[in-house]
Amino acid sequence: MSARTSNLRLVDNTGRDFPSTAATQIERNVWMVEPSGATGPTGASNQAGSTLGMSVGNYHYAPWESGGGIWAGLGTFNPYSSLISFYGQGDPMPSGRTVYLDPLQRSQVLDRLQALAVEASEDESPFNSVSRDQLLNFLDLHAVRTPSLFLLSSGNLQALWEREGGLRFSVEFLGGDEVRFVALGRSTAHGHVRGVGLTTPTGILGLALGFDMRPLVAIE
Amino acid sequence: MKDLTASDDVLRHVKGTLITDKGSISGEAFERRAGEDAPSYDHKQSLGTTVEEQVAELRRAFRKKLSSTHRFAELNVGEVVQALLADRKLGTRFVLDGLPEEQGPDGTKYVAQPSHTLHWGMPEFGTDESRLAGEVIASQVRALFLAKEPAKEPE
């Protein structure tokens, strides 16, 4: 497979092209870690199970042309996994869904995930790549503020939204269909609004609303 | 062994995986870990007179490897005990137990750590109560210090 990066097309969440300078910046930010001599899988699967035209181990990637259009692949390579996720025009996710995570947010998130993976490697701590994928999928599909990210001792990723005054809403990505939330809401004369339990990724924003913390989490 | 009082402060070591460079901390940093009787802290006032002395002494005595991403989180004993009691109806105590000079498992010589403190009464790790208690404590952090001394700039 030959590298065809010149054909890459990067789009924002409304489907518009990024200026070429921005695209260059995005590529440089996103393809971050290239350990000497490291190899990864050739070809990768997207969430719908289709094979993308990529050769990660050699750091080549080529747009995958199909009826859906041209793909732009964004990802990273670390000791724990080959690829984080992809998005672009022709995204095969269920129709009607929009990809919300903008390139700057994505770059910040990937930087943090990379740092967490490196730290886990140094500590010989677990890093659950399925949890990471679930987190990224959630961030892609929901209009949320960029959360603080942590790696828990279980190896799962946790996102936290907080505000002064002790308001905290955290979500642990368990890697399956469910996530675990902990909510420290407002304190009133009648007591403290608190919650902890399991929900689905699509239930997170509804829960934040229920705990009167939607503005903390969501971009309205 | 001595119970710390409401006016005492403690420092908790936090790994870089549980704190961001902007100072957001996961509640897990304050939970009782699996197989642990009580989370470890250090009594700040036992470490020295000034903040600089206190942090420097803790860096010297601390028994785990410190990295540039790690932080020491400062908490006030009275605020944490009161917050857990009011919020979770959880009665906890900070008990100064001190650690003697001793040999580590790999032959490393550990210096005495008279500031070592345990936070008794925290719920069992992995429970919902433990998660809530951890978040309540995280909301009480007063200050953060670099756990590892930053490299000096060349003159």
Side-chain angles (χ1 to χ4, degrees), chain A residues 112 116 119-120 123 125 148-153 158 160 162 166 168 170 172 180 182-184 192 194-196, chain B residues 15-21 23-28 67 69-70 86-88 125 128 131-132 135-136 138-139:
Chain A
R112 175 63 175 164
L116 291 173
E119 190 135 354
D123 290 352
S125 304
S148 299
L149 298 176
F150 309 108
L151 178 64
L152 303 182
S153 56
Q158 183 188 50
L160 169 72
E162 64 177 333
R168 295 170 65 90
S170 71
E172 177 184 356
R180 180 181 287 115
V182 181
L184 294 193
H192 305 282
R194 302 289 182 256
V196 58
Chain B
K15 289 201 308 178
T17 48
L18 295 176
I19 186 167
T20 67
D21 55 5
S24 290
I25 309 181
S26 168
E28 190 183 280
S67 125
T69 59
H70 297 190
D87 200 299
R88 309 308 319 145
F125 184 79
D128 287 347
R131 293 183 186 101
L132 280 165
E135 292 292 336
V136 168
S139 71

Side-chain angles (χ1 to χ4, degrees), chain A residues 33-65:
Chain A
V33 174
E34 301 181 351
S36 175
T39 56
T42 298
S45 295
N46 63 21
Q47 290 168 344
S50 303
T51 299
L52 302 176
M54 301 188 79
S55 175
V56 179
N58 296 324
Y59 310 108
H60 296 155
Y61 67 117
W64 175 57
E65 296 178 47

Side-chain angles (χ1 to χ4, degrees), chain B:
Chain B
M1 301 255 257
K2 178 184 108 176
D3 273 51
L4 298 184
T5 63
S7 60
D8 287 309
D9 299 313
V10 286
L11 295 169
R12 170 75 167 164
H13 170 252
V14 182
K15 289 201 308 178
T17 48
L18 295 176
I19 186 167
T20 67
D21 55 5
K22 290 182 180 168
S24 290
I25 309 181
S26 168
E28 190 183 280
F30 305 98
E31 289 185 60
R32 185 178 133 197
R33 296 193 193 100
E36 189 179 55
D37 293 329
S40 289
Y41 289 76
D42 284 85
H43 178 221
K44 190 163 169 261
Q45 285 79 7
S46 295
L47 289 161
T49 310
T50 66
V51 172
E52 291 77 15
E53 284 173 4
Q54 290 161 345
V55 174
E57 175 57 19
L58 184 52
R59 286 172 180 157
R60 189 183 75 84
F62 202 74
R63 299 184 175 192
K64 290 180 187 161
K65 190 182 172 194
L66 297 172
S67 125
S68 59
T69 59
H70 297 190
R71 298 287 183 273
F72 293 127
E74 179 184 326
L75 296 142
N76 172 258
V77 167
E79 288 175 1
V80 172
V81 169
Q82 182 54 36
L84 289 172
L85 192 60
D87 200 299
R88 309 308 319 145
K89 300 200 171 21
L90 187 65
T92 66
R93 302 157 58 208
F94 285 87
V95 179
L96 182 71
D97 68 343
L99 296 175
E101 180 180 301
E102 58 191 333
Q103 199 90 5
D106 57 352
T108 312
K109 185 183 169 189
Y110 293 142
V111 300
Q113 198 174 341
S115 58
H116 189 265
T117 297
L118 292 171
H119 187 197
W120 290 100
M122 286 292 285
E124 189 180 342
F125 184 79
T127 61
D128 287 347
E129 256 323 306
S130 174
R131 293 183 186 101
L132 280 165
E135 292 292 336
V136 168
I137 299 174
S139 71
Q140 299 295 320
V141 170
R142 282 182 160 190
L144 293 167
F145 303 98
L146 291 172
K148 187 177 180 182
E149 188 175 17
K152 289 190 172 70
E153 301 259 337
E155 292 179 11

